Amino acid sequence: MYSYLLGICLLTLINIYYKKFTINEFNKIILFFSLSTYFVVVYKNANFLISFLLAVICIRRNNKDFIKIFFISSLILYLSTILLSMFGILHSNEMIRIVDGTINKRTSLGFTHPNEVFLYFIPIALCGYYLYGNKFTYYIILIATSSVLYKLSYCRTGYITVLCVVGLNFFKNILIKFKLKNILPYTMVVLTIISIFIAKLYGNDLDNNISNLLSQRPNLWNYYIKNGYMLSILGKGIHPDYIMDNFYLFLLVEMGITGYFIYFIIYYKSLKHLRHDIKLLIIILIFYIYGLTETNIIIGSIQFVFALQIKSIIINNKKINKEDKYNG
């Protein structure tokens, strides 16, 4: 990890040296670097830093070029992991899931957990959607591939999330009509409230339909609510015995109101800037939905669009509207 970060930092410094920035842009770069340092020093979390570095590296590239590079590199590494697992070089962890008395074998295909099969596949699927989402063939390949991965990993959340890509694209015109671009900036707060509502309503009892559907996550969420973890300035940290699979509650528990507010402001301001690109808005919405049951979308190398959101705040908004115009 440290070698990885050092390499990206060096590339970023070279990029800053050769690129010309306005005073306003440079001041924003310093601001985001300060925020990155804050998260690294206070929380030992490098994910914000990774997203910031990627944003600076692609600062003069249009969004489509960045997504294409991310798509190709991620796909190569994903397939390499599976191939190394097939040849026995990478160990594939296996688990069992019992649903309605049926035993389902789950394999990780070389990743550390079966859920990671879709965790690392979803960014690839979303990049593909941005690049090839206007082609019917893409959806055939996406559904077929996802179905095979689901049969192997039995990751329900990831599979449903990928199907949402297909569904939301089908209703794209309806989303435009109902002003998705105006609603999306507030979605983070709405989903936070929904998460708390689910935890309070269904988190006290493990034996209910909602709890079973969400793999008993509401009970874990409710633990943090009942024990006063939610309302702190700098965060109280995640308890090692209570996994937090919810991006929004994770921010409040791990990084406090301060960390949550920083992320909200970035989402809010960037979504105002990126409102002309409907495909990008749908991708952000998918990550929003996935965040209800998956904290790992905070990882900079998974939530690739967060780098573009930071970039949209750093550079002049008019430039974005000119180079990344409405992508239907």
Side-chain angles (χ1 to χ4, degrees):
M1 172 59 75
Y2 291 110
S3 299
Y4 173 65
L5 284 176
L6 180 61
I8 296 182
C9 284
L10 290 173
L11 288 172
T12 305
L13 288 173
I14 294 170
N15 192 66
I16 290 175
Y17 180 79
Y18 283 106
K19 294 289 189 298
K20 292 181 179 180
F21 295 99
T22 65
I23 294 176
N24 186 40
E25 289 172 347
F26 189 76
N27 288 338
K28 289 177 182 178
I29 287 174
I30 296 299
L31 171 62
F32 277 108
F33 177 73
S34 301
L35 291 174
S36 301
T37 304
Y38 166 75
F39 283 112
V40 170
V41 173
V42 177
Y43 304 108
K44 306 298 185 292
N45 190 310
N47 291 307
F48 192 97
L49 173 63
I50 292 172
S51 294
F52 162 66
L53 294 175
L54 289 174
V56 175
I57 288 172
C58 73
I59 201 85
R60 295 300 183 226
R61 288 183 176 273
N62 63 50
N63 292 344
K64 188 174 182 179
D65 285 345
F66 170 78
I67 290 173
K68 187 174 183 179
I69 293 170
F70 191 95
F71 172 72
I72 294 171
S73 58
S74 298
L75 183 60
I76 290 172
L77 292 171
Y78 190 87
L79 293 175
S80 297
T81 301
I82 295 176
L83 286 173
L84 290 172
S85 174
M86 290 173 62
F87 287 110
I89 298 173
L90 285 178
H91 176 68
S92 183
N93 297 303
E94 294 183 351
M95 297 176 65
I96 297 294
R97 170 171 282 167
I98 302 175
V99 179
D100 297 328
T102 303
I103 298 176
N104 297 280
K105 180 181 175 182
R106 309 181 66 198
T107 181
S108 71
L109 300 178
F111 298 100
T112 57
H113 191 283
N115 285 348
E116 291 185 2
V117 172
F118 271 94
L119 177 66
Y120 293 107
F121 178 70
I122 285 174
I124 296 171
L126 291 175
C127 285
Y129 165 70
Y130 192 88
L131 298 170
Y132 311 111
N134 294 330
K135 298 179 180 180
F136 182 74
T137 307
Y138 167 74
Y139 296 102
I140 298 297
I141 295 173
L142 178 64
I143 293 172
T145 304
S146 300
S147 298
V148 172
L149 293 176
Y150 174 70
K151 287 293 183 181
L152 294 170
S153 67
Y154 208 75
C155 178
R156 297 175 299 182
T157 304
Y159 187 53
I160 291 171
T161 302
V162 171
L163 294 180
C164 284
V165 178
V166 182
L168 287 175
N169 184 70
F170 182 77
F171 293 107
K172 183 169 61 178
N173 291 331
I174 296 177
L175 293 174
I176 295 172
K177 182 179 178 181
F178 282 92
K179 304 295 183 183
L180 175 66
K181 61 184 180 182
N182 295 333
I183 298 171
L184 209 55
Y186 307 97
T187 304
M188 182 174 170
V189 173
V190 172
L191 292 179
T192 303
I193 295 171
I194 290 174
S195 299
I196 295 172
F197 178 77
I198 292 174
K200 295 297 291 181
L201 214 59
Y202 303 103
N204 292 309
D205 178 19
L206 291 175
D207 191 21
N208 62 73
N209 292 334
I210 299 298
S211 183
N212 290 329
L213 179 66
L214 296 174
S215 300
Q216 280 69 54
R217 287 182 176 91
N219 181 258
L220 299 173
W221 303 346
N222 199 36
Y223 166 82
Y224 291 100
I225 296 173
K226 289 190 300 183
N227 290 280
Y229 278 73
M230 292 293 172
L231 298 177
S232 65
I233 301 300
L234 298 178
K236 295 188 175 183
I238 301 296
H239 193 289
D241 296 329
Y242 293 87
I243 299 170
M244 174 56 80
D245 276 335
N246 182 293
F247 171 66
Y248 313 102
L249 301 186
F250 172 83
L251 287 178
L252 286 170
V253 173
E254 179 68 15
M255 301 179 179
I257 296 173
T258 303
Y260 182 93
F261 184 74
I262 290 171
Y263 270 86
F264 171 73
I265 290 298
I266 293 171
Y267 271 94
Y268 181 85
K269 288 186 70 65
S270 64
L271 287 168
K272 293 289 186 180
H273 294 169
L274 298 170
R275 56 192 293 151
H276 299 276
D277 193 337
I278 185 62
K279 276 189 176 180
L280 207 57
L281 295 185
I282 289 175
I283 289 173
I284 293 170
L285 179 58
I286 293 292
F287 274 122
Y288 265 140
I289 295 170
Y290 196 36
L292 279 171
T293 57
E294 183 56 74
T295 297
N296 285 328
I297 68 162
I298 197 174
I299 298 175
S301 55
I302 291 173
Q303 226 285 41
F304 64 92
V305 77
F306 192 60
L308 298 179
Q309 291 177 257
I310 292 175
K311 168 196 163 187
S312 74
I313 296 175
I314 293 174
I315 67 174
N316 191 294
N317 188 31
K318 292 179 181 178
K319 294 179 183 177
I320 296 175
N321 290 339
K322 190 178 292 185
E323 69 178 22
D324 293 312
K325 227 172 178 182
Y326 169 79
N327 190 337

